[in-house]
Each structure stands twice: as C-alpha cells, then as structure tokens.
Amino acid sequence: MTVLVSGHRVAGGVSVLGGVCVVAASIPARWFGPMPTDSYVFDPLTYSPLWIERTVIPAVSTAAVLLTLAGLVALFHRDRERMARWHRWFAVVALVGAALVGFTTVLLASNGEGDPTGTLNVLFAVLLGLIGLVLAGPGLLAWGIGYLRTGRRPLGAVLAGGVAVPVVLVVTAVALDADFGGLGGIPVSLPVALLAVGVGYDLWVRAV
C-alpha cells in the first residue's frame, strides 16, 4: 500500500510538471527576441528565438503531453474500481485519445527537416492527432462529468473544463475573426495546464 501511495504521489508531481510544460510550450518564440527572416532561417543561432521554436518548444511539447498522460493514467488506475461502468469506459476512451495525441506529438517533434518521408509522417501524425482529439475531447468531458456527479467537483471541473474552455475560446475567436494578440496560444493552453495541475494535486492529496 505504501508503494502504491508513493507511486500515485509521484505521478501527481509528474502531472503538475506536465501542466507547467503545457504553458511553457505555448509561449510565443518571439517573446525571446525578433524572429530572423534571412539566412539564419536555415541555420538559426543557438538560443535564438528561431532555435527555441525549432528545438526547445517541440521537446517541451512532447514532455507536456507525456507527463500529463502519465497523470491521467495514474488517476484512472487509482479510481477505476470506484467508477460506474459508463464512467470507466469514457475514461478509457479519453486515455486512448490522449495516448494518440501523445504519439502524434512525439512523431511531429522527431520529424527531421529534409527527410523525404517527412511529409508522409506529418500527414500520418495529423490524422492520428485528429482521431486522438475526437476521442479525448468527449472522453475527458464525460470523465469530468462523472466526478461532478459523485461530488468530486474540483477534479471534475478541471477535467471537463480542460476540454470545454479551449474549444469555446477557439470557436469564439474564429467566429469573431480575432486572435489572442501577442499571447499566442497561452489562453487556450491555460485550461489544459489547469487540468494537468488539478489531476496532479488530486493524486497527491488523495493517493488512494
């Protein structure tokens, strides 16, 4: 039992770190300086904004998805026996979708420039990512609603809100033909980051 408790708490810390990475990965590279438009585009200087965009952000994005997925898996492992059947199945759908999104992120991050199979890899990754989002979105929403129905309001809110709020923000921005200005993707990433942090916190305080 002690090992199990420790494992869930470690997963909780990992999930919180994933939330931090979610926000970090969405910071616009231009915040670190002007983006070059000349020959440096092909050979960016180390630590330049373009280098950060091409080297750091893909790695941080991969870490964000995998660490958050680890937290969700630990949450399911802890609560699966106490879930209603429908709740458990939606959680499984959410995990499958999140795993596909994670695989997509890894595939896109590792896709080398100049690779003749790069375009095919990108198309394959985009297809998997779309399937993953279609599964993870409703799955996480229902997973969160299940917790809300059982009185676990904070956990249910971060799971459901982590899906619903970004969708509302994106749809609203498209409908109004607006963007988030210099904030880049940060507004959309914040609810997802709160999801990861909320899951991590719940795993830490309710390890069993």
Side-chain angles (χ1 to χ4, degrees):
M1 179 63 72
T2 302
V3 174
L4 188 60
V5 169
S6 298
H8 287 156
R9 284 184 171 167
V10 169
V14 163
S15 187
V16 170
L17 181 58
V20 174
C21 289
V22 168
V23 176
S26 65
I27 295 176
R30 60 181 176 273
W31 282 20
F32 302 100
M35 296 291 286
T37 56
D38 51 17
S39 60
Y40 290 107
V41 170
F42 302 100
D43 188 19
L45 296 173
T46 304
Y47 307 120
S48 66
L50 190 58
W51 179 86
I52 291 173
E53 183 179 69
R54 292 182 177 179
T55 305
V56 177
I57 291 180
V60 175
S61 298
T62 300
V65 174
L66 296 182
L67 295 176
T68 302
L69 177 60
L72 291 173
V73 170
L75 180 66
F76 177 75
H77 180 269
R78 187 196 66 185
D79 293 346
R80 67 189 187 282
E81 299 298 333
R82 297 188 287 265
M83 291 178 172
R85 179 176 296 179
W86 72 268
H87 194 195
R88 186 163 54 247
W89 275 110
F90 271 111
V92 170
V93 169
L95 289 176
V96 171
L100 288 176
V101 172
F103 180 74
T104 296
T105 305
V106 173
L107 193 60
L108 290 175
S110 62
N111 185 52
E113 296 182 19
D115 184 351
T117 61
T119 302
L120 183 60
N121 288 341
V122 169
L123 291 175
F124 178 66
V126 169
L127 177 61
L128 282 182
L130 289 175
I131 294 173
L133 289 174
V134 168
L135 294 176
L140 285 169
L141 183 62
W143 196 354
I145 291 172
Y147 282 122
L148 290 172
R149 287 166 58 93
T150 58
R152 306 273 296 280
R153 296 184 183 278
L155 181 58
V158 295
L159 283 172
V163 173
V165 174
V167 171
V168 170
L169 288 174
V170 171
V171 170
T172 302
V174 171
L176 298 177
D177 193 21
D179 55 32
F180 301 109
L183 294 177
I186 292 179
V188 175
S189 72
L190 282 177
V192 181
L194 287 175
L195 182 156
V197 172
V199 168
Y201 176 78
D202 195 82
L203 285 169
W204 185 268
V205 299
R206 294 172 57 103
V208 293

